[in-house]
mmCIF file with all atom_site columns, all heavy atoms in Angstrom:
data_model
loop_
_atom_site.group_PDB
_atom_site.id
_atom_site.type_symbol
_atom_site.label_atom_id
_atom_site.label_alt_id
_atom_site.label_comp_id
_atom_site.label_asym_id
_atom_site.label_entity_id
_atom_site.label_seq_id
_atom_site.pdbx_PDB_ins_code
_atom_site.Cartn_x
_atom_site.Cartn_y
_atom_site.Cartn_z
_atom_site.occupancy
_atom_site.B_iso_or_equiv
_atom_site.pdbx_formal_charge
_atom_site.auth_seq_id
_atom_site.auth_comp_id
_atom_site.auth_asym_id
_atom_site.auth_atom_id
_atom_site.pdbx_PDB_model_num
ATOM 1  N N   . ALA A 1 4   ? 21.711 -33.128 -9.130  1.00 43.00 ? 14  ALA A N   1
ATOM 2  C CA  . ALA A 1 4   ? 20.707 -32.678 -10.058 1.00 43.00 ? 14  ALA A CA  1
ATOM 3  C C   . ALA A 1 4   ? 19.794 -33.843 -10.405 1.00 43.00 ? 14  ALA A C   1
ATOM 4  O O   . ALA A 1 4   ? 18.667 -33.696 -10.857 1.00 43.00 ? 14  ALA A O   1
ATOM 5  C CB  . ALA A 1 4   ? 21.250 -32.110 -11.301 1.00 43.00 ? 14  ALA A CB  1
ATOM 6  N N   . PHE A 1 51  ? -5.811 -17.194 -9.146  1.00 95.00 ? 61  PHE A N   1
ATOM 7  C CA  . PHE A 1 51  ? -5.392 -18.454 -8.462  1.00 95.00 ? 61  PHE A CA  1
ATOM 8  C C   . PHE A 1 51  ? -6.699 -18.914 -7.697  1.00 95.00 ? 61  PHE A C   1
ATOM 9  O O   . PHE A 1 51  ? -7.019 -18.345 -6.669  1.00 95.00 ? 61  PHE A O   1
ATOM 10 C CB  . PHE A 1 51  ? -4.272 -18.176 -7.502  1.00 95.00 ? 61  PHE A CB  1
ATOM 11 C CG  . PHE A 1 51  ? -3.650 -19.464 -7.040  1.00 95.00 ? 61  PHE A CG  1
ATOM 12 C CD1 . PHE A 1 51  ? -2.516 -20.035 -7.660  1.00 95.00 ? 61  PHE A CD1 1
ATOM 13 C CD2 . PHE A 1 51  ? -4.178 -20.227 -5.949  1.00 95.00 ? 61  PHE A CD2 1
ATOM 14 C CE1 . PHE A 1 51  ? -1.915 -21.193 -7.278  1.00 95.00 ? 61  PHE A CE1 1
ATOM 15 C CE2 . PHE A 1 51  ? -3.633 -21.416 -5.620  1.00 95.00 ? 61  PHE A CE2 1
ATOM 16 C CZ  . PHE A 1 51  ? -2.519 -21.901 -6.205  1.00 95.00 ? 61  PHE A CZ  1
ATOM 17 N N   . ASP A 1 63  ? 3.753  -29.741 -7.868  1.00 94.00 ? 73  ASP A N   1
ATOM 18 C CA  . ASP A 1 63  ? 4.684  -29.882 -6.721  1.00 94.00 ? 73  ASP A CA  1
ATOM 19 C C   . ASP A 1 63  ? 5.091  -31.357 -6.645  1.00 94.00 ? 73  ASP A C   1
ATOM 20 O O   . ASP A 1 63  ? 6.318  -31.598 -6.511  1.00 94.00 ? 73  ASP A O   1
ATOM 21 C CB  . ASP A 1 63  ? 4.016  -29.379 -5.473  1.00 94.00 ? 73  ASP A CB  1
ATOM 22 C CG  . ASP A 1 63  ? 4.728  -29.798 -4.180  1.00 94.00 ? 73  ASP A CG  1
ATOM 23 O OD1 . ASP A 1 63  ? 5.954  -29.840 -4.143  1.00 94.00 ? 73  ASP A OD1 1
ATOM 24 O OD2 . ASP A 1 63  ? 4.048  -30.048 -3.257  1.00 94.00 ? 73  ASP A OD2 1
ATOM 25 N N   . GLY A 1 70  ? 13.025 -34.808 -8.742  1.00 91.00 ? 80  GLY A N   1
ATOM 26 C CA  . GLY A 1 70  ? 14.224 -34.455 -8.062  1.00 91.00 ? 80  GLY A CA  1
ATOM 27 C C   . GLY A 1 70  ? 14.771 -33.051 -8.316  1.00 91.00 ? 80  GLY A C   1
ATOM 28 O O   . GLY A 1 70  ? 15.875 -32.755 -8.003  1.00 91.00 ? 80  GLY A O   1
ATOM 29 N N   . ALA A 1 103 ? 6.567  -17.067 -1.158  1.00 96.00 ? 113 ALA A N   1
ATOM 30 C CA  . ALA A 1 103 ? 5.324  -16.221 -1.327  1.00 96.00 ? 113 ALA A CA  1
ATOM 31 C C   . ALA A 1 103 ? 4.625  -16.372 0.008   1.00 96.00 ? 113 ALA A C   1
ATOM 32 O O   . ALA A 1 103 ? 4.315  -17.476 0.381   1.00 96.00 ? 113 ALA A O   1
ATOM 33 C CB  . ALA A 1 103 ? 4.429  -16.723 -2.516  1.00 96.00 ? 113 ALA A CB  1
ATOM 34 N N   . GLY A 1 110 ? 4.742  -9.205  7.241   1.00 94.00 ? 120 GLY A N   1
ATOM 35 C CA  . GLY A 1 110 ? 5.171  -8.278  8.288   1.00 94.00 ? 120 GLY A CA  1
ATOM 36 C C   . GLY A 1 110 ? 5.571  -9.019  9.576   1.00 94.00 ? 120 GLY A C   1
ATOM 37 O O   . GLY A 1 110 ? 5.819  -8.384  10.598  1.00 94.00 ? 120 GLY A O   1
ATOM 38 N N   . LEU A 1 113 ? 8.128  -14.034 8.260   1.00 98.00 ? 123 LEU A N   1
ATOM 39 C CA  . LEU A 1 113 ? 8.044  -15.313 7.830   1.00 98.00 ? 123 LEU A CA  1
ATOM 40 C C   . LEU A 1 113 ? 8.876  -15.783 6.661   1.00 98.00 ? 123 LEU A C   1
ATOM 41 O O   . LEU A 1 113 ? 9.458  -16.799 6.649   1.00 98.00 ? 123 LEU A O   1
ATOM 42 C CB  . LEU A 1 113 ? 6.536  -15.609 7.489   1.00 98.00 ? 123 LEU A CB  1
ATOM 43 C CG  . LEU A 1 113 ? 5.406  -15.508 8.614   1.00 98.00 ? 123 LEU A CG  1
ATOM 44 C CD1 . LEU A 1 113 ? 4.028  -15.573 8.127   1.00 98.00 ? 123 LEU A CD1 1
ATOM 45 C CD2 . LEU A 1 113 ? 5.690  -16.587 9.627   1.00 98.00 ? 123 LEU A CD2 1
ATOM 46 N N   . ALA A 1 115 ? 11.756 -14.391 5.540   1.00 98.00 ? 125 ALA A N   1
ATOM 47 C CA  . ALA A 1 115 ? 13.196 -14.418 5.780   1.00 98.00 ? 125 ALA A CA  1
ATOM 48 C C   . ALA A 1 115 ? 13.460 -15.648 6.662   1.00 98.00 ? 125 ALA A C   1
ATOM 49 O O   . ALA A 1 115 ? 14.444 -16.298 6.382   1.00 98.00 ? 125 ALA A O   1
ATOM 50 C CB  . ALA A 1 115 ? 13.582 -13.128 6.560   1.00 98.00 ? 125 ALA A CB  1
ATOM 51 N N   . ALA A 1 123 ? 19.446 -23.670 5.204   1.00 98.00 ? 133 ALA A N   1
ATOM 52 C CA  . ALA A 1 123 ? 20.111 -24.618 6.169   1.00 98.00 ? 133 ALA A CA  1
ATOM 53 C C   . ALA A 1 123 ? 19.926 -26.078 5.616   1.00 98.00 ? 133 ALA A C   1
ATOM 54 O O   . ALA A 1 123 ? 20.810 -26.867 5.712   1.00 98.00 ? 133 ALA A O   1
ATOM 55 C CB  . ALA A 1 123 ? 19.641 -24.461 7.505   1.00 98.00 ? 133 ALA A CB  1
ATOM 56 N N   . ILE A 1 135 ? 20.696 -19.264 -3.861  1.00 98.00 ? 145 ILE A N   1
ATOM 57 C CA  . ILE A 1 135 ? 20.491 -17.974 -4.467  1.00 98.00 ? 145 ILE A CA  1
ATOM 58 C C   . ILE A 1 135 ? 19.038 -17.604 -4.464  1.00 98.00 ? 145 ILE A C   1
ATOM 59 O O   . ILE A 1 135 ? 18.106 -18.413 -4.385  1.00 98.00 ? 145 ILE A O   1
ATOM 60 C CB  . ILE A 1 135 ? 21.030 -17.998 -5.923  1.00 98.00 ? 145 ILE A CB  1
ATOM 61 C CG1 . ILE A 1 135 ? 20.295 -18.910 -6.849  1.00 98.00 ? 145 ILE A CG1 1
ATOM 62 C CG2 . ILE A 1 135 ? 22.495 -18.164 -5.977  1.00 98.00 ? 145 ILE A CG2 1
ATOM 63 C CD1 . ILE A 1 135 ? 20.564 -18.817 -8.277  1.00 98.00 ? 145 ILE A CD1 1
ATOM 64 N N   . ALA A 1 152 ? 17.586 -12.225 5.553   1.00 98.00 ? 162 ALA A N   1
ATOM 65 C CA  . ALA A 1 152 ? 17.992 -13.685 5.499   1.00 98.00 ? 162 ALA A CA  1
ATOM 66 C C   . ALA A 1 152 ? 19.493 -13.859 5.339   1.00 98.00 ? 162 ALA A C   1
ATOM 67 O O   . ALA A 1 152 ? 19.917 -14.997 5.348   1.00 98.00 ? 162 ALA A O   1
ATOM 68 C CB  . ALA A 1 152 ? 17.228 -14.384 4.392   1.00 98.00 ? 162 ALA A CB  1
ATOM 69 N N   . ASP A 1 158 ? 27.607 -10.026 -8.022  1.00 97.00 ? 168 ASP A N   1
ATOM 70 C CA  . ASP A 1 158 ? 27.989 -9.363  -9.190  1.00 97.00 ? 168 ASP A CA  1
ATOM 71 C C   . ASP A 1 158 ? 27.853 -10.207 -10.414 1.00 97.00 ? 168 ASP A C   1
ATOM 72 O O   . ASP A 1 158 ? 28.757 -10.832 -10.899 1.00 97.00 ? 168 ASP A O   1
ATOM 73 C CB  . ASP A 1 158 ? 29.528 -8.885  -9.090  1.00 97.00 ? 168 ASP A CB  1
ATOM 74 C CG  . ASP A 1 158 ? 29.893 -8.078  -10.221 1.00 97.00 ? 168 ASP A CG  1
ATOM 75 O OD1 . ASP A 1 158 ? 29.082 -7.468  -10.928 1.00 97.00 ? 168 ASP A OD1 1
ATOM 76 O OD2 . ASP A 1 158 ? 31.203 -7.895  -10.492 1.00 97.00 ? 168 ASP A OD2 1
ATOM 77 N N   . ILE A 1 162 ? 19.186 -11.123 -15.096 1.00 96.00 ? 172 ILE A N   1
ATOM 78 C CA  . ILE A 1 162 ? 18.358 -12.114 -15.837 1.00 96.00 ? 172 ILE A CA  1
ATOM 79 C C   . ILE A 1 162 ? 17.161 -11.296 -16.397 1.00 96.00 ? 172 ILE A C   1
ATOM 80 O O   . ILE A 1 162 ? 16.402 -10.965 -15.658 1.00 96.00 ? 172 ILE A O   1
ATOM 81 C CB  . ILE A 1 162 ? 18.030 -13.292 -14.932 1.00 96.00 ? 172 ILE A CB  1
ATOM 82 C CG1 . ILE A 1 162 ? 19.284 -13.931 -14.323 1.00 96.00 ? 172 ILE A CG1 1
ATOM 83 C CG2 . ILE A 1 162 ? 17.144 -14.308 -15.719 1.00 96.00 ? 172 ILE A CG2 1
ATOM 84 C CD1 . ILE A 1 162 ? 18.932 -14.800 -13.076 1.00 96.00 ? 172 ILE A CD1 1
ATOM 85 N N   . ALA A 1 172 ? 13.664 -7.878  -14.987 1.00 95.00 ? 182 ALA A N   1
ATOM 86 C CA  . ALA A 1 172 ? 15.058 -7.980  -14.830 1.00 95.00 ? 182 ALA A CA  1
ATOM 87 C C   . ALA A 1 172 ? 15.484 -8.350  -13.394 1.00 95.00 ? 182 ALA A C   1
ATOM 88 O O   . ALA A 1 172 ? 15.124 -7.609  -12.451 1.00 95.00 ? 182 ALA A O   1
ATOM 89 C CB  . ALA A 1 172 ? 15.761 -6.632  -15.148 1.00 95.00 ? 182 ALA A CB  1
ATOM 90 N N   . ASN A 1 179 ? 26.392 -18.137 0.811   1.00 97.00 ? 189 ASN A N   1
ATOM 91 C CA  . ASN A 1 179 ? 27.251 -19.292 0.797   1.00 97.00 ? 189 ASN A CA  1
ATOM 92 C C   . ASN A 1 179 ? 27.129 -20.222 2.047   1.00 97.00 ? 189 ASN A C   1
ATOM 93 O O   . ASN A 1 179 ? 26.821 -19.747 3.091   1.00 97.00 ? 189 ASN A O   1
ATOM 94 C CB  . ASN A 1 179 ? 28.677 -18.834 0.635   1.00 97.00 ? 189 ASN A CB  1
ATOM 95 C CG  . ASN A 1 179 ? 28.918 -18.137 -0.658  1.00 97.00 ? 189 ASN A CG  1
ATOM 96 O OD1 . ASN A 1 179 ? 28.328 -18.445 -1.696  1.00 97.00 ? 189 ASN A OD1 1
ATOM 97 N ND2 . ASN A 1 179 ? 29.865 -17.210 -0.705  1.00 97.00 ? 189 ASN A ND2 1
#
Side-chain angles (χ1 to χ4, degrees):
F61 195 97
D73 165 37
L123 296 170
I145 62 169
D168 186 19
I172 301 163
N189 293 329

